[in-house]
Amino acid sequence: MSEILFDRAVEVLSSADETFRWHLNPGALRRLLPPFETARIESGSGPEDPLRAGDRTVISVGIGPARLRWTAEIVELDEDERFFVDVQRGGPFRAWRHRHAVGPTDRGSALLDSVRYALPLGGLGALVAGRGIEKRLDRMFAWRHRTMVHDLAAHGRARDAGFEGRTVAITGARGLV
């Protein structure tokens, strides 16, 4: 099985700990799903559950006119070293291993997304879909990195302005909120 390596890095003006914790937050994966992808989360950890090793998420992914289920599992998570790894347990690739690692820099931190994947059908799959997959990954990770950087910048501005996290409960059986 011939694996392809896809690496993308981004510098963040937040500490390595803050950048890593952002990824562990409930809802981070939903923030990272680009609107131009037809992906949606079918099942996984709940809205209050932080990311943990052993978590599995099922995502419905549009590939052309078809929809496929992609099951990913967090197989490693080390908060001290600030990295986690998810692998595909079922889905469109022959293999998929994605390592998210955050490290400190002089200006804040850097996130390195490192993906090793293999396409189905070996050489034929690479010939037919290889360039398209790489372009799709480039676009998706550019969007993910921008979203994360903007979220962390907004969190920093709010903190600097004295805002603190709050829990807001909205109840009601009818009407619009």
Side-chain angles (χ1 to χ4, degrees):
M1 165 173 44
S2 175
E3 287 191 338
I4 301 164
L5 179 61
F6 177 90
D7 284 332
R8 291 299 178 272
V10 63
E11 188 169 1
V12 186
L13 299 178
S14 298
S15 73
D17 287 336
E18 186 177 3
T19 300
F20 185 71
R21 279 193 316 272
W22 185 91
H23 285 85
L24 302 182
N25 281 330
L29 178 58
R30 289 186 197 287
R31 290 287 297 144
L32 293 173
L33 291 176
F36 51 82
E37 289 287 338
T38 57
R40 61 181 178 266
I41 298 172
E42 289 188 359
S43 67
S45 58
E48 294 88 31
D49 300 328
L51 194 65
R52 294 186 189 102
D55 285 354
R56 282 190 178 215
T57 301
V58 177
I59 301 172
S60 173
V61 181
I63 300 186
R67 294 205 68 78
L68 296 174
R69 282 190 149 152
W70 188 343
T71 303
E73 180 180 354
I74 303 298
V75 295
E76 294 179 64
L77 190 149
D78 188 323
E79 291 188 44
D80 294 330
E81 295 295 319
R82 293 183 296 267
F83 79 90
F84 66 96
V85 176
D86 62 85
V87 298
Q88 173 187 281
R89 295 299 188 202
F93 293 91
R94 179 179 279 173
W96 175 275
R97 182 177 179 84
H98 179 188
R99 186 176 196 272
H100 317 245
V102 177
T105 66
D106 292 342
R107 298 182 60 204
S109 62
L111 167 68
L112 173 62
D113 281 299
S114 184
V115 180
R116 288 189 174 278
Y117 67 95
L119 296 171
L121 306 175
L124 179 61
L127 181 66
V128 171
R131 298 248 321 127
I133 294 294
E134 186 168 345
K135 285 181 181 181
R136 195 168 175 176
L137 289 174
D138 268 331
R139 185 174 182 216
M140 181 177 72
F141 278 92
W143 192 90
R144 291 173 69 136
H145 287 173
R146 265 192 319 275
T147 298
M148 178 200 60
V149 166
H150 289 167
D151 279 7
L152 285 165
H155 294 177
R157 287 190 304 275
R159 185 180 53 251
D160 293 346
F163 289 101
E164 297 176 16
R166 303 249 194 267
T167 300
V168 177
I170 300 173
T171 65
R174 295 210 154 114
L176 299 174
V177 177

